Amino acid sequence: ALGKGSDLEKAFATVALVYNNSADPEGKLSRADTKSLLQTQFGAFIQGQENKPKYQEIISSLDEESENKLDFEDFMIVLISLTLMSDLLQEIKKVKTTK
């Protein structure tokens, strides 16, 4: 859909596509499915973060209230929160590319 879009547009389109492919017919993800999706699709960002209090807080919130499902907005908040605390983000910030 965004073959000619910018890198950022393609990145967000990919997030939306991955979410939509995993969501139930109501467009929501169970907390267990969210956790599984993060482990399979976002592993590089969460690898090695298990001892960080913020990581534990985010992941434990997915274990609580398992009957409550996440909509896309909630999923994005989890994704951004994990990204911001990730060591990988710090490594990415050090890399400069020119186009």
Side-chain angles (χ1 to χ4, degrees), residues 9-97:
E9 289 168 331
K10 289 178 194 174
F12 274 90
T14 299
V15 171
L17 183 63
V18 168
Y19 177 88
N20 286 337
N21 285 339
S22 300
D24 65 16
E26 296 174 355
K28 296 188 177 190
L29 273 179
S30 72
R31 291 176 181 272
D33 288 341
T34 300
K35 198 171 177 180
S36 176
L37 185 62
L38 291 172
Q39 291 168 337
T40 59
Q41 294 287 320
F42 212 59
F45 277 91
I46 61 176
Q47 184 177 17
Q49 307 307 301
E50 297 84 2
N51 294 327
K52 290 185 176 181
K54 184 66 177 173
Y55 174 86
Q56 293 173 354
E57 178 184 327
I58 293 167
I59 295 304
S60 69
S61 74
L62 295 176
D63 291 331
E64 297 170 2
E65 303 177 38
S66 59
E67 70 278 356
N68 291 340
K69 295 184 177 185
L70 279 76
D71 59 17
F72 184 68
E73 182 179 324
D74 293 332
F75 178 75
M76 287 300 296
I77 291 169
V78 169
L79 208 58
I80 291 168
S81 298
L82 289 170
T83 301
L84 290 173
M85 49 124 322
S86 174
D87 292 335
L88 181 58
L89 179 63
Q90 301 313 313
E91 292 299 315
I92 291 169
K93 286 180 177 181
K94 294 176 186 175
V95 176
K96 299 283 184 193
T97 60

